Amino acid sequence: MTDALPPSPSPTRSALPPDDLQRALLHNEVHARPTARIRLPALVVYVAVLNEGISREQELAHLRLLPGQQDLPPEVLHDHFVRLRLGNCTLKWERHSEYTRYSIVQSLPEGAGLEAENPPLDALAIDPDWLAAIPGRTITAIKLAMVIGDIANAPEAARRGQRWLGGRSVVASIMGTYGHSIAVTSFRLREDGFEHMLVIAPERTTETRAGRISQRLLELETYRMMALRGLPAAKALSPMLAEAESRLAEITARLENKAATDQELLDTLVALAARVERATAENQYRFAATQAYDAIVSQRIQELREKPISGTQTISEFMQRRLSPAIQTVAATAQRLSGLSQRIERTSALLRTRVDIATESQNQQLLAQLTRGQDLQLRMQMTVEGLSIAAISYYVMSLIYYGAKAVKVAGVPISPELVAGAMIPAVLWGVWRTNRRIHEKLHAEQGH
């Protein structure tokens, strides 16, 4: 048998506008992962695996290997949640964006309370080979025992829980505003790869409350591990950041002292910027996810509403001392990477400013050279124009002189030399005036 979200009821109302296409999906999101109902005493075997590269089809094929689930339909996995009843136990499958978790709830046998000398944590209702073959890479594995016990004397209950978990140092606290249970754990990996947790609750504990207690504790540890996935990346990035910061300081000094050409500085700066941007692209998601998971851890700790037990640390104290430094390291590395990128951008702006100033200076020099060339060309043009006036006047005077000679030959008593000499001023003025009028007309056309 399977438990999944019930189908949305058929719309029978007529007093509302049409539904948004995602209304039912978004509305049912709050019911997507219902809390398990656990009857005490019980053992919860919990495994969370990273599902990168693992498809739903692979997970479905593995679920079909369970007894009686050979015909499990694919559509039951579409809502990211399914609960399977497997005889004397229940298995819950949940798929998240980065991991998939499997929770197996089975009853503990009689005599498995705090007085038991050998807690039956190895008696699994699911084939261990099936657990070992779950597709993915294990990120969290927990055996959470939930037993009935007296919690009125919390220190004594915590000591019994410590013996029940093997006698090593533990973290314990009273959970709930009015103290509805006691949680005991060591946050240590055992030889079988599991962490062991213990919840002691009174006999009156309801099945829904036991389910919420287990969900908070299991999610707390899962999100703690997911938050810590950014720490190795932050540590691996630290040497590169130190080298890049040193290189940027060197580039800035060379830029200040003009110890290299602009092209050399630009090539070096572009290579450094590309390296930093690549590191940002590779790690930005992981660092952001770390902050998001850490926020969920803090929220889950608040939901526990812990009260301390004399002689032991609470879960929140343990988390604050062990988890906070790692999260701060990741946050500092992310900020360091972002700051380095911004400093590279500012250095690039300085280099661009220097290149722009040098380019502007070169342009001014080029314009000055062009201006001097135009002045020289203008003077040469004026000289040529002066010579052209003289040449034109000479040709006009020649025409007048030959004309006067022709008139003299015709019998008119004139002297060609005197006529030509007398016309020189008029010819010069006429040629000069004609040239001026041509210039004025050209300037007028340019002005339009």
Side-chain angles (χ1 to χ4, degrees), residues 30 35 47-48 225 250 255 285 291 311 350 357 370 378 390 427 443:
V30 296
T35 304
V47 178
M225 292 297 296
E250 178 185 350
L255 177 62
Y285 174 80
Q291 298 301 318
L350 289 175
I357 292 174
L370 291 176
L378 180 59
V427 171
H443 285 305

Side-chain angles (χ1 to χ4, degrees), residues 258-400:
K258 298 182 179 180
T261 64
D262 293 341
Q263 187 62 46
E264 292 175 347
L265 291 176
L266 181 61
D267 292 342
T268 306
L269 195 59
V270 167
L272 182 61
R275 187 178 182 187
V276 172
E277 288 304 314
R278 178 182 177 183
T280 301
E282 291 176 348
N283 297 280
Q284 185 175 15
Y285 174 80
R286 186 76 270 149
F287 292 161
T290 291
Q291 298 301 318
Y293 286 126
D294 179 60
I296 299 177
V297 169
S298 300
Q299 180 183 2
R300 294 296 184 269
I301 289 177
Q302 292 177 1
E303 292 174 355
L304 295 179
R305 297 188 297 277
E306 292 180 284
K307 293 181 181 179
I309 297 176
S310 177
T312 62
Q313 277 187 310
T314 63
I315 294 176
S316 60
E317 290 174 342
F318 178 87
M319 289 290 184
Q320 184 176 5
R321 293 186 179 183
R322 308 298 175 89
L323 181 61
S324 294
I327 300 301
Q328 292 300 322
T329 298
V330 174
T333 302
Q335 185 176 4
R336 188 179 176 188
L337 185 61
S338 176
L340 179 60
S341 180
Q342 293 175 2
R343 291 198 300 274
I344 290 176
E345 184 177 354
R346 289 196 296 268
T347 304
S348 299
L350 289 175
L351 181 57
R352 286 195 302 270
T353 301
R354 195 173 88 170
V355 171
D356 290 343
I357 292 174
T359 302
E360 184 177 355
S361 177
Q362 293 176 357
N363 291 338
Q364 290 177 350
Q365 294 177 3
L366 181 60
L367 288 174
Q369 292 176 358
L370 291 176
T371 302
R372 288 194 298 269
Q374 290 176 350
D375 291 341
L376 179 59
Q377 184 178 1
L378 180 59
R379 288 195 295 267
M380 292 179 64
Q381 182 179 353
M382 292 175 65
T383 302
V384 172
E385 288 179 353
L387 295 174
S388 65
I389 291 173
I392 294 172
S393 299
Y394 174 77
Y395 287 119
V396 172
M397 291 300 301
S398 297
L399 293 174
I400 292 173

